[in-house]
Every structure is written in structure tokens, then in C-alpha cells.
Amino acid sequence: MSSPTRNAFLYSLIVAFGGFVFGLDIVLISGTIKAITSEFGLTALEVGSIVSGPGWGALVGLICTSYFSDKFGRKNTTLVIAALYTLSAIGSAYAPSATFLFWARFLGGLAFASLSLASMYIGEIAPPKSRGKLVGLNQLNIVIGIFIAQILNYYIINGTEQGAAWTLSLGLNAENAWRWMLGAEIIPALLWFSALFIVPESPRWLALNGKEEKAKAALAKITEPEKLDQEINEIVHSLNDTDHHTLSLAQQFKLLFSSKMRIALIIGVVITIIQPMTGMNAVLAYMPTIFAQLGGSESSAFGQTVMVGGIGLFFTVLALVFIDKLGRRPILLGGLTWAIISLAVVALGFFNATYMLTAESLVTLKESMDVNLLQSLLNTEFSSDVDFKQAIENKIGREQLVAYESSIMTAATTINGLMVLLGIISFQCAYNFSLGPVVWILLSEVFTTKVRAVAIPLCGFVASVFGGIIVPLFFPWQLENMGAVSTFSVYLVCCFIGLIFAYKVIPETKNKTIEQIELELAGK
């Protein structure tokens, strides 16, 4: 590996490490849901508000990202984002109230702009032949962060349940475990902030702002010497048709919405809607809650979550191996088809489930709760998880249902749990092999340098509306009011719509420069 190639990999890896922190952030909260619901007395929508808090912050952050990344550069904006992640993690860990926790997570949401910035920056420094792999590092870091968060949640939950010596030595118990989970983000955020000082500014941003000598110097670190003059000339030439050194954000938006950019904009917006609407954000944030629907202890639910995360990580690595060989389009089409089949399996598993309290199950529950109020439901079979939990809540109240839901579902559920588990594993593999990395790679490729500072954050804004707010906010409500079957069926339909769109609209972009892709899309 040549020195420029090593440098491009190193800089991409550092910038993409923000994805690791993001992955921690979206999954660590999953281990706290039961605890914060009980501690702060939250309803389903209030739980959804806290989980989706970063999504609201992301809306503000992504609006500002366009201005700051264009005005002050990709690197400096990313440094600010890393600092925001750190402050958010500290505030979340010490939150004295649900409102404080929401705003601490909102602050972290401002930092979610790191995903769009990473795609923007890496797309601008990566050689065409390896751009897919390097931009894909963003998704790889997200998945690694998710996996590590799942492991942390599992060991903290399991340790507090078993009264392990290491938890006692740290003063960690069932009451404060959720604070340790959220506080685990502090150290990685600080490490990322420190490492970013190694990264140079994007040569394309420097050229965009009339700093051609600095752009050439930055490009020399990541480009083979014999290709340096040709590449800097291509970059400068692509910028010469408009005097965008003086373009305002409003003018850039006007250019973005012009007929020349129409296909690129449609691809960017639609694909960033489809990605979260497949339901993966909800599956990640609420995976232990989903597994609790299958029956099993809280600890086993977190253990299953770790297993799913590990398998998903493997398929993300596999995607990066093949993304520049097979191409974006075949992987995306195949992955969406795979996701449709997987979600159908999950929905079918829940469709065939039944829920019934028996004399034996009441004996099991008697060890942890007063079962006298449940006697009237004895041997009454329910085919809907919604109806069953509503009947339980009517008998014992919401507070008791929240506290003992896992135990009750374990005692009462008859379901092909292996079928649902395999369906969720398969869905995560499909997503991590296709939609997860491919969407961010496409965003880094389809937008020309002239509008990238507004286009990629705009698409990130759209992704945050759906993935950061709508999906996680309403998922607890969906499970509570629609049930698991209808909820996963909605996600299946969204995958099908995405498959049709990808087949008809999205072109292949592998092994092409950003400038070549711009000309191809403009000609459609």
C-alpha cells in the first residue's frame, strides 16, 4: 500500500470514527428504556421522545452544517461536532430528570451531522477505485459502535442482575446502571476529538474557496505523484463554470434544485427516506424490547441482541470487501430483496404467536409479583400481543406492567422464537450488507462539489426526520397500539417501494470520479 493510499485510509478512518460514537449513541439508550420509564414515570410516547431526542437535534445541526462546513471547512466543523458528542454524553449520564435527558440527547443530535460530513469529506479525498470502501468505513464504524454498545448493555444488565463483584466494586446497581450505559460514550468522543487534529482539510473544499496551492498540497498527501497534476486540474476545471467562490447558500440551493441536479437530488432524498423507513433504527434502539416480546429474561434479551449485532458486523465488513467489485446497484437491489423476505419471516412469526396465562405461569410469576389480580385472565388465549398487554394493564396498571412486562411475556408467550430471531438476524445482515453502507456511498458520489455542502446535509436532514424522529418516536406507540405484526409489515412495504425505486432510478457509480458521475446524471 503506497503512502498516499495509507494516508487516505487513515484520514477516512479518523473522520469515520464519528460513526462509532453515533453507533454507541443510538444503541446505548436501548439498555436504559425500562429503567428510565420506571424512574421518570414515562408513557410510550415520552419514551419515544427521549429515544428520538437526537433526531430533533440533528435537524438543527444539519441546517447549520451546510453553512459551517462551507464557511469554515469540513475539518473544523467536524471538531465542533466531536465536542458536542462529548458534552451530550456527560449530560445524559448525569441527567436528573426526563426533560434534562431529552435536551442532553438533543445536544448529541446536533452531532449526528458527523455522518453527512464524513460522507462529504471522505468522498472528496478518496481515490475513485477505493471510494466505496473508504466511505463505507462510516457504516463500518457505526456497526462496530452498535456492537460494542450491545456488549456493554448486556454485561451491565447481566452484572447487575447477578450482583457481580465488578459491578459492586464500581458502585453499579440496578438503579444507576442506565447512567453508566449512557456515560460509556464519553471516552470515545474525547478520543475522536483528539484524533481529528491529524486530519488535513479537504482539497476540494480548499479549491472551492480559491486556495488552489493549499488544495494541491493537501491532495499530494492522498494522491500518487504522477496523478497529482491531472486530478487538481480536473477539480479546478469542474469548478470553473460558475464563480462559486461567491455563491451564497441560497444560490447553492437554487443550483441544487435546478434541472441539471434533479436526478441526483431525487436519488439522494428518496434513498435517505427509504433507509430509515425499513425500520432498522427502531430495531436497533428497541431490540431488547422486541426480544422481550418473544419471552425470555431481560438478560437473555440483551444476549440475543449482542449475537445479532455481531452477525450484522460481519456482513458490514463483507459489504466493504465487495462494494467496489460488485458495484453499488447490484448490492442495493439484492439487499432490499433480502430485507423484504426477512421482514416477512418476522411478521409471520409474530402473526402465529399466542399469549395465555396458565396456572403454571402464574406460579412462575408469583416469585416476582402479586398475581391475584391476574386470576381472571387464567387460560384466556390472546392472538394479539396488543390485546394481551392491554388486558394485563387493565388488571395491574401501567406501572406494574412496565416493571414486570418481560416476566409476564416470558410466562405467557407461545411463539416460534427461533423463526423471529432468525428473521431479525437476516434483516440486519441484509441492511448492513446493502442499505447501510450503500446509501452513504451514493450520497458521497452523486452530488457535485459545487453543491455538496448543502446537498449532503439536506439528505442527512431528511434521514434524521425519518430515522431520528418518526421511526423511533412512534415505534413504542406502534408496538403498543398496532402490534408487532402490523409494525413489521409497514417496514416490509417500505423496503418493497425502495426496491422498485432503486431498480428504476439509481445508476451504477463504481470506479467513476465525482466529476464523471456529475456529467452522467446531468445528461439524464
Side-chain angles (χ1 to χ4, degrees):
M1 185 183 291
S2 65
S3 181
T5 303
R6 282 198 304 270
N7 287 342
F9 177 81
L10 175 62
Y11 301 149
S12 299
L13 186 61
I14 290 173
V15 172
F17 191 71
F20 176 85
V21 185
F22 170 82
L24 285 177
D25 193 87
I26 62 173
V27 171
L28 286 171
I29 191 67
S30 70
T32 74
I33 289 173
K34 181 179 177 180
I36 63 174
T37 300
S38 178
E39 180 162 336
F40 299 129
L42 305 177
T43 65
L45 279 178
E46 286 170 338
V47 172
S49 295
I50 288 178
V51 174
S52 65
W56 295 102
L59 300 187
V60 177
L62 286 164
I63 291 171
C64 298
T65 296
S66 297
Y67 173 79
F68 284 104
S69 65
D70 218 26
K71 181 73 173 178
F72 302 108
R74 306 347 182 189
K75 175 181 176 178
N76 290 332
T77 305
T78 307
L79 279 167
V80 173
I81 284 171
L84 289 174
Y85 264 135
T86 306
L87 293 174
S88 171
I90 294 171
S92 297
Y94 290 95
S97 67
T99 301
F100 191 99
L101 179 58
F102 170 84
W103 287 110
R105 288 181 54 71
F106 177 91
L107 186 64
L110 297 175
F112 278 16
S114 64
L115 301 184
S116 61
L117 265 177
S119 295
M120 187 189 308
Y121 178 88
I122 298 171
E124 290 176 354
I125 70 164
K129 65 180 181 180
S130 58
R131 187 172 55 238
K133 290 186 179 66
L134 295 184
V135 177
L137 288 173
N138 200 25
Q139 179 66 21
L140 178 62
N141 272 277
I142 293 172
V143 177
I144 292 174
I146 287 168
F147 183 53
I148 295 300
Q150 290 166 337
I151 291 175
L152 286 170
N153 283 348
Y154 170 72
Y155 276 103
I156 290 174
I157 290 293
N158 191 58
T160 53
E161 277 189 357
Q162 304 297 325
W166 68 270
T167 62
L168 297 175
S169 65
L170 292 173
L172 198 160
N173 53 54
E175 286 71 36
N176 64 19
W178 69 272
R179 298 184 184 275
W180 284 79
M181 292 176 185
L182 298 182
E185 191 181 326
I186 297 171
I187 293 176
L190 285 172
L191 288 175
W192 184 42
F193 178 79
S194 302
L196 282 170
F197 286 95
I198 300 173
V199 174
E201 186 51 82
S202 160
R204 281 180 168 83
W205 179 82
L206 291 168
L208 183 64
N209 285 271
K211 302 175 182 179
E212 292 181 14
E213 290 303 314
K214 290 184 177 181
K216 189 172 183 178
L219 195 62
K221 297 179 180 180
I222 54 174
T223 303
E224 300 296 340
E226 63 273 16
K227 298 179 180 178
L228 180 59
D229 288 336
Q230 177 187 345
E231 188 158 345
I232 193 68
N233 287 337
E234 283 184 3
I235 293 171
V236 172
H237 180 266
S238 73
L239 302 175
N240 280 340
D241 59 348
T242 304
D243 181 19
H244 26 281
H245 298 180
T246 61
L247 282 182
S248 65
L249 287 180
Q251 290 171 318
Q252 290 182 54
F253 270 111
K254 183 178 179 180
L255 183 59
L256 175 62
F257 283 92
S258 67
S259 58
K260 184 179 180 181
M261 300 285 179
R262 183 179 297 124
I263 298 298
L265 182 61
I266 291 173
I267 290 172
V269 171
V270 174
I271 201 67
T272 49
I273 292 174
I274 294 298
Q275 186 195 53
M277 287 304 293
T278 60
M280 178 52 70
N281 286 18
V283 170
L284 291 174
Y286 297 100
M287 197 176 290
T289 304
I290 295 169
F291 287 142
Q293 296 273 96
L294 306 181
S297 68
E298 184 176 21
S299 180
S300 69
F302 279 93
Q304 290 168 329
T305 298
V306 172
M307 180 180 64
V308 174
I311 296 172
L313 174 59
F314 171 78
F315 275 85
T316 301
V317 174
L318 204 62
L320 298 189
V321 171
F322 288 105
I323 193 71
D324 287 316
K325 296 178 182 178
L326 299 179
R328 290 53 159 153
R329 182 178 164 84
I331 286 179
L332 187 59
L333 294 175
L336 282 165
T337 303
W338 183 3
I340 290 169
I341 296 170
S342 302
L343 288 170
V345 170
V346 175
L348 182 61
F350 280 113
F351 179 79
N352 291 326
T354 59
Y355 309 86
M356 183 173 68
L357 289 172
T358 63
E360 292 78 11
S361 62
L362 288 185
V363 170
T364 303
L365 291 171
K366 190 174 181 179
E367 298 176 4
S368 57
M369 63 179 292
D370 181 3
V371 298
N372 291 327
L373 294 175
L374 298 175
Q375 292 290 337
S376 61
L377 295 177
L378 197 64
N379 296 322
T380 303
E381 184 176 282
F382 294 83
S383 59
S384 164
D385 53 323
V386 175
D387 293 340
F388 174 69
K389 285 189 284 186
Q390 184 60 58
I392 296 291
E393 184 176 344
N394 290 340
K395 298 297 181 182
I396 66 175
R398 177 169 178 77
E399 185 176 343
Q400 290 293 298
L401 175 62
V402 169
Y404 299 109
E405 180 176 346
S406 180
S407 299
I408 294 171
M409 296 300 288
T410 299
T413 303
T414 300
I415 189 173
N416 189 336
L418 180 60
M419 180 180 182
V420 174
L421 177 62
L422 290 178
I424 289 177
I425 290 174
S426 181
F427 171 58
Q428 181 155 6
C429 293
Y431 180 94
N432 287 354
F433 186 71
S434 58
L435 268 174
V438 170
V439 167
W440 294 107
I441 292 167
L442 284 173
L443 291 182
S444 76
E445 295 176 328
V446 299
F447 294 114
T448 174
T449 305
K450 295 188 283 291
V451 297
R452 291 165 73 83
V454 294
I456 296 179
L458 173 64
C459 292
F461 183 92
V462 172
S464 293
V465 170
F466 288 89
I469 296 177
I470 293 175
V471 173
L473 174 62
F474 288 104
F475 185 75
W477 181 90
Q478 285 177 286
L479 278 184
E480 191 173 281
N481 295 275
M482 295 170 56
V485 176
S486 296
T487 298
F488 283 100
S489 296
V490 168
Y491 299 146
L492 185 157
V493 171
C494 290
C495 285
F496 182 76
I497 293 171
L499 177 63
I500 300 300
F501 174 80
Y503 178 77
K504 290 187 172 293
V505 180
I506 296 179
E508 184 53 73
T509 57
K510 73 171 184 176
N511 296 332
K512 298 174 183 176
T513 67
I514 293 172
E515 289 72 29
Q516 288 172 336
I517 296 168
E518 175 189 358
L519 291 174
E520 181 179 329
L521 292 178
K524 286 195 172 187

